[in-house]
């Protein structure tokens, strides 16, 4: 119920901030989504979408930093990775 | 897909599992509060990969699962009124009330519809001025802003044929209720990332201090979850009890101020009954006085007293929702109770612990 998925803003329509809508691509599937809660959003931004609303922008710098942390944990690596079910 | 695929790298997951194994020196019990995380844990078999010292307990973090049967009975009563279109999210339509569910009522002729967003319900109201549109509003803090905006816009539009049966619940009071049980075994929490996306994580500071327990804001992809567990184990081993934010790419400490403002404008906190648990003070949302015209239970004069009718059932969903037992401990799991014929709500919702176990971990029932 509280799962939200990332999507990319393709277009923005509407002047009233509370009624602003965005065309969002979810890996190719496009839906109309309210941008009322992300007034700072721009075309090309990635947003987290739940129940027809974008709830926040994805911070690309923070995402990159997290991915770098994943790489750093390689220091612990020593075993043979198994396939994840 | 960007911001999905990168967080599913199997080798990185295994490196984190190894890091956890090298960090842990004693058994720890951690609860993932969100049903979406339970779903990911079972889907990717993360619980099977973790070292045996780490015990994951599934929390009551599925709002569909904790909605009382009596409230579903009220929704069914509303759906059967003439001229009413009752709509809700798909999972909600399948959860059993005391004697029926909304889909079976639909099959008997009631106008019950599944919607993707509360705004779809609002559009139904605009498109059907001769009908009464009732939205059965369920969800945690993640979903509350979407309902609040529908009410806010309905008020601005002056809509008279739109109302809500409100079933919204809040996470922090549930965590406090779990931790307040005298023999509580939970030593750390993975917090629901998207709840924190809206609300931030300031309100969890007091819980960390009062109960001396680490809480880690955690996302939903496999790497998010194993990193969240790693951060939690690091704190547990060091004797720390802080809030840490694993899900920094989405969650800021203050949450989403615009969403919080609209939620506070439309809703106030109320005591709420949780299915299988009990009434928890200040754990639900109710419409503020200004928006009472949109309260379906008041508009249609529903009996406010919840029925006490309880069908005898082997279902142990109450104990499962509180983390005291796991789904495969239930005598009905996988035989009398399946997603096709659920006895309890956790088997209905795709994020329910029983449904996740059934779909991805059925073998556990035979273990």
């Amino acid at each position: 119920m509280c799962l939200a998925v990332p999507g990319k803003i393709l277009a923005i329509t509407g002047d009233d901030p509370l009624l602003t809508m965005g065309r969002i691509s979810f890996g190719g599937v496009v839906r109309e989504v309210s941008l009322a809660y992300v007034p700072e959003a721009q075309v090309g931004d990635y947003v987290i979408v739940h129940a027809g609303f974008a709830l926040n922008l994805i911070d690309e710098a923070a995402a990159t930093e997290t991915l770098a942390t994943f790489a750093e944990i390689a220091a612990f690596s020593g075993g043979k990775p198994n396939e994840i079910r | 897909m960007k911001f999905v695929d990168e967080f599913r790298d199997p080798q990185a997951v295994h490196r984190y599992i190894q890091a956890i194994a090298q960090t842990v020196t004693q058994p720890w019990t951690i609860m993932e509060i969100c049903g979406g995380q339970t779903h990911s844990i079972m889907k990717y078999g993360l619980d099977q990969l973790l070292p045996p010292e780490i015990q994951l307990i599934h929390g009551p973090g599925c709002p569909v699962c904790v909605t009382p049967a009596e409230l579903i009975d009220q929704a069914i009563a509303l759906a059967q009124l003439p001229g009413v279109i009752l709509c809700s999210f798909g999972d909600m339509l399948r959860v059993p009330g005391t004697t029926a569910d909304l889909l079976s009522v639909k099959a008997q002729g009631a106008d019950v519809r599944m919607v993707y967003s509360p705004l779809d319900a609002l559009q139904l109201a605009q498109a059907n001025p001769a009908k009464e549109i009732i939205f059965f509003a369920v969800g945690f803090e993640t979903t509350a802003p979407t309902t609040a905006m529908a009410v806010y816009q309905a008020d601005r539009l002056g809509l008279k044929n739109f109302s809500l049966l409100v079933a919204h619940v809040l996470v922090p009071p549930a965590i406090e209720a779990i931790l307040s049980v005298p023999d509580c075994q939970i030593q750390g929490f993975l917090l629901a990332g998207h709840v924190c996306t809206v609300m931030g994580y300031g309100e969890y500071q007091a819980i960390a201090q009062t109960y001396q327990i680490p809480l880690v804001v955690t996302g939903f992809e496999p790497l998010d979850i194993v990193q969240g567990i790693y951060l939690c184990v690091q704190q547990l081993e060091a004797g720390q009890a802080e809030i840490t934010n694993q899900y920094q790419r989405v969650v800021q400490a203050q949450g989403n101020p615009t969403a919080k403002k609209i939620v506070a404008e439309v809703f106030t906190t109320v005591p709420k009954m949780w299915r299988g648990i009990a009434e928890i003070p200040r754990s639900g949302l109710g419409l503020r006085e200004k928006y009472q015209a949109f309260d379906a239970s008041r508009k249609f004069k529903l009996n406010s007293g919840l029925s006490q009718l309880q069908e005898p059932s082997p279902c142990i969903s109450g104990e499962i929702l509180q983390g005291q037992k796991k789904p495969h401990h239930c005598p009905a799991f996988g035989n009398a109770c399946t997603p096709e014929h659920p006895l309890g709500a956790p088997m209905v919702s795709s994020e329910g612990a029983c449904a996740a176990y059934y779909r991805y971990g059925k073998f556990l029932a035979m273990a």
Side-chain angles (χ1 to χ4, degrees):
Chain A
M1 181 60 71
C2 289
L3 268 183
V5 290
K8 185 178 185 180
I9 302 178
L10 303 178
I12 298 176
T13 54
D15 298 325
D16 183 338
L18 288 177
L19 302 178
T20 302
M21 299 294 286
R23 280 173 56 78
I24 312 288
S25 172
F26 301 94
V29 177
V30 177
R31 291 199 76 134
E32 291 282 326
V33 164
S34 169
L35 300 180
Y37 292 132
V38 287
E40 71 276 31
Q42 304 286 327
V43 171
D45 286 343
Y46 282 83
V47 285
I48 283 282
V49 176
H50 174 63
F53 285 79
L55 292 179
N56 229 349
L57 296 175
I58 293 179
D59 183 332
E60 295 211 40
T64 304
E65 195 174 316
T66 305
L67 291 168
T69 310
F70 292 160
E72 283 172 18
I73 207 76
F76 285 94
S77 181
K80 182 182 176 185
N82 300 312
E83 186 185 350
I84 294 177
R85 289 182 300 271
Chain B
M1 189 162 61
K2 193 172 182 186
F3 301 123
V4 174
D5 296 339
E6 306 99 311
F7 294 90
R8 294 181 179 176
D9 175 7
Q11 295 209 357
V13 169
H14 278 278
R15 289 198 293 271
Y16 261 100
I17 298 286
Q18 287 166 357
I20 292 166
Q22 291 179 25
T23 305
V24 70
T25 64
Q26 59 183 295
W28 298 111
T29 301
I30 299 169
M31 174 176 273
E32 87 277 1
I33 193 75
C34 179
Q37 291 168 337
T38 302
H39 185 87
S40 283
I41 288 164
M42 299 310 295
K43 179 176 180 180
Y44 295 102
L46 302 179
D47 57 328
Q48 302 296 300
L49 296 172
L50 287 166
E53 292 89 346
I54 306 298
Q55 168 86 341
L56 290 180
I57 299 283
H58 316 304
C62 166
V64 171
C65 302
V66 300
T67 300
E70 292 82 0
L71 201 53
I72 294 162
D73 291 346
Q74 291 187 354
I76 289 171
L78 289 169
Q80 290 172 326
L81 294 174
V84 163
I85 301 174
L86 187 126
C87 45
S88 192
F89 301 124
D91 281 353
M92 204 65 241
L93 305 186
R94 297 183 57 237
V95 180
T98 51
T99 57
D101 60 54
L102 283 160
L103 275 187
S104 62
V105 171
K106 177 182 173 72
Q108 292 162 9
D111 197 344
V112 175
R113 303 191 192 184
M114 186 180 82
V115 291
Y116 165 69
S117 167
L119 292 184
D120 296 341
L122 200 63
Q123 287 179 355
L124 270 176
Q126 290 176 284
N128 298 275
K131 297 271 191 177
E132 285 285 346
I133 312 304
I134 302 171
F135 178 61
F136 190 10
V138 61
F140 285 108
E141 291 94 326
T142 317
T143 319
T146 70
T147 306
M149 182 58 79
V151 174
Y152 192 78
Q153 292 190 7
D155 187 50
R156 278 182 31 151
L157 293 166
L159 282 180
K160 305 293 184 199
N161 65 329
F162 178 73
S163 59
L164 307 174
L165 182 61
V166 182
H168 284 301
V169 280
L170 302 171
V171 168
I175 289 181
E176 288 217 74
I178 290 165
L179 288 172
S180 298
V181 173
D183 59 349
C184 176
Q185 303 294 310
I186 314 299
Q187 294 162 299
F189 272 94
L190 305 185
L191 294 177
H194 293 141
V195 166
C196 297
T197 299
V198 171
M199 300 304 292
Y201 46 87
E203 60 189 321
Y204 295 97
Q205 294 285 1
I207 296 176
Q209 287 170 5
T210 302
Y211 297 94
Q212 281 299 296
I213 191 164
L215 304 121
V216 181
V217 180
T218 304
F220 297 84
E221 299 302 335
L223 266 169
D224 290 322
I225 291 168
V226 291
Q227 191 185 35
I229 294 167
Y230 176 64
L231 293 171
C232 194
V233 168
Q234 274 190 320
Q235 282 203 55
L236 287 165
E237 290 285 341
Q240 295 171 336
E242 311 285 342
I243 312 285
T244 51
N245 182 9
Q246 180 279 326
Y247 203 30
Q248 291 180 28
R249 67 186 183 279
V250 176
V251 174
Q252 285 94 47
Q254 75 279 10
N256 183 322
T258 312
K260 285 163 79 172
K261 185 179 169 194
I262 299 288
V263 169
E265 157 81 19
V266 172
F267 291 118
T268 185
T269 53
V270 295
K272 205 77 175 179
M273 183 67 79
W274 290 54
R275 185 177 186 133
I277 303 179
E279 183 173 281
I280 304 176
R282 299 181 302 282
S283 69
L285 293 176
L287 288 163
R288 286 190 182 278
E289 193 61 38
K290 179 183 175 185
Y291 296 99
Q292 285 296 322
F294 297 103
D295 185 341
S297 54
R298 181 178 286 201
K299 187 174 185 177
F300 297 96
K301 299 182 173 55
L302 278 180
N303 181 2
S304 59
L306 297 178
S307 80
Q308 297 301 308
L309 177 64
Q310 293 291 336
E311 293 289 318
S313 168
C315 172
I316 60 165
S317 59
E319 293 164 278
I320 291 166
L321 289 170
Q322 294 174 85
Q324 293 161 355
K325 289 191 176 171
K326 294 206 169 185
H328 61 285
H329 295 144
C330 179
F333 177 80
N335 43 68
C337 183
T338 66
E340 291 73 31
H341 299 285
L343 292 182
M347 187 60 93
V348 175
S349 166
S350 59
E351 291 170 21
C354 296
Y357 265 62
Y358 185 86
R359 184 167 180 185
Y360 301 113
K362 194 175 178 181
F363 59 93
L364 288 171
M366 297 177 281

